[in-house]
Amino acid sequence: MVGNVKKIERPNGIVELRLNRPMKYNAINYNMMDDLKRHLTELKGSVTLNALIITGEGEKAFCSGGDVELFHKLTTKEEAYAMLSKMGGILYELMLFPVPTIALINGTTLGGGCEIATACDVRIAKQGSSIGFIQGNLGLTTGWGGASMLLEKIAYHDAMAILLSSKKYNTDEAVELGFIDKVIPFNADFHEKGYEEIEKMLVNKGNVLKAYKQVSIRKWKSSDLYSRMMLEIEQCADLWTQDEHIKAVEAFLNRR
């Protein structure tokens, strides 16, 4: 039985993990967290793996973030922190994954979906995708360590512009801000086209790819990225039970 994350073996030592809740715009729930963690743990020890792709099932969404309806049931700071820190820990593992990671953004990428994409080394998007750290519109900050990771990946002023505005951006704007590395024109078979582009950008020498990734991993470990992410997550948990967040989520759910 296919779970909430599909594993697809590609040629040349590349594996694709596909978030698999297309009817929910690939929103993250607890089962998807568990599946993602299990796959990352299993793949981390592979000697033949050269690169990892994270993408979404279907044509509409990479990931719309956390499942708002499900997580709205978390009513205390402790409950919120347990969920947020669980996913934050998974994204820290993705940040420090031993081979290059590529977010293949196949559509809507919002909130926590942007945090997942940020944890990857490279971000390739389908033309027309909507991208945004929109958590502020729900009275929250990034909840899975996304701000700490974003500040490691792009220029400070661009990262802060993205975070402080809580705006949605189109792919051209996201390229200008440094968040998206490459845009692929709309293609009926986007996942296949995306894989072809990824294959072109990677040298066919697994040891070289892993060695370069270790340079970044050493930096992030020495700067105690994990602790910074967890402090950020605690700040989000503090905001979780405040009226501003509760009312914003209720308005969002009622509008839907």
Side-chain angles (χ1 to χ4, degrees):
M1 184 178 74
V2 175
N4 285 154
V5 177
K6 291 168 64 174
K7 176 184 172 184
I8 300 171
E9 301 276 355
R10 295 284 192 171
N12 300 318
I14 299 175
V15 169
E16 182 177 306
L17 295 182
R18 199 174 285 194
L19 307 177
N20 186 35
R21 297 184 73 209
M23 299 304 292
K24 290 282 190 177
Y25 288 84
N26 297 319
I28 302 295
N29 63 8
Y30 291 111
N31 288 336
M32 188 179 282
M33 288 186 196
D34 291 338
D35 285 353
L36 188 56
K37 182 174 178 60
R38 174 173 54 82
H39 283 302
L40 290 177
T41 300
E42 291 173 355
L43 290 167
K44 191 159 53 176
S46 171
V47 296
T48 58
L49 184 68
N50 291 332
L52 178 69
I53 298 170
I54 306 290
T55 190
E57 183 60 57
E59 299 179 1
K60 293 182 178 179
F62 172 77
C63 176
S64 59
D67 188 321
V68 176
E69 190 172 358
L70 173 66
F71 295 146
H72 188 45
K73 297 173 184 177
L74 305 175
T75 58
T76 68
K77 175 184 174 179
E78 291 73 23
E79 289 174 338
Y81 182 80
M83 179 276 290
L84 297 170
S85 60
K86 177 176 182 175
M87 189 62 185
I90 293 168
L91 293 192
Y92 179 75
E93 289 186 40
L94 182 57
M95 264 295 267
L96 270 63
F97 201 70
V99 300
T101 54
I102 301 96
L104 189 57
I105 295 172
N106 56 304
T108 299
T109 305
L110 301 175
C114 281
E115 298 189 64
I116 295 170
T118 302
C120 295
D121 299 309
V122 178
R123 284 160 294 283
I124 299 173
K126 179 172 71 175
Q127 183 74 48
S129 298
S130 178
I131 297 162
F133 284 80
I134 61 168
Q135 292 91 330
N137 296 320
L138 294 178
L140 291 177
T141 55
T142 43
W144 296 338
S148 298
M149 294 187 292
L150 187 65
L151 288 163
E152 296 288 333
K153 298 296 181 75
I154 68 174
Y156 175 81
H157 60 281
D158 289 329
M160 293 303 287
I162 289 170
L163 295 168
L164 296 176
S165 70
S166 292
K167 285 172 52 178
K168 294 180 185 178
Y169 296 93
N170 63 36
T171 44
D172 292 338
E173 291 169 329
V175 168
E176 189 174 344
L177 288 163
F179 185 72
I180 295 299
D181 300 296
K182 185 177 180 63
V183 176
I184 297 177
F186 181 79
N187 190 293
D189 204 349
F190 174 75
H191 288 101
E192 294 305 317
K193 180 64 176 175
Y195 169 73
E196 291 173 9
E197 292 296 325
I198 290 165
E199 197 175 29
K200 290 177 191 174
M201 52 190 295
L202 298 175
V203 64
N204 190 25
K205 298 287 186 293
N207 288 338
V208 172
L209 297 173
K210 292 169 187 175
Y212 278 132
K213 184 61 186 282
Q214 283 300 318
V215 175
S216 295
I217 290 172
R218 287 193 293 269
K219 175 194 172 187
W220 293 327
K221 283 183 175 180
S222 67
S223 67
D224 205 6
L225 175 63
Y226 181 78
S227 293
R228 289 188 280 129
M229 289 174 66
M230 289 301 133
L231 286 171
E232 177 188 341
I233 289 167
E234 187 170 358
Q235 287 181 320
C236 183
D238 283 333
L239 296 173
W240 194 273
T241 57
Q242 294 188 12
D243 286 346
E244 190 174 39
H245 169 59
I246 294 169
K247 290 177 181 178
V249 172
E250 288 174 350
F252 172 77
L253 293 174
N254 289 335
R255 185 173 71 247
R256 291 174 65 196

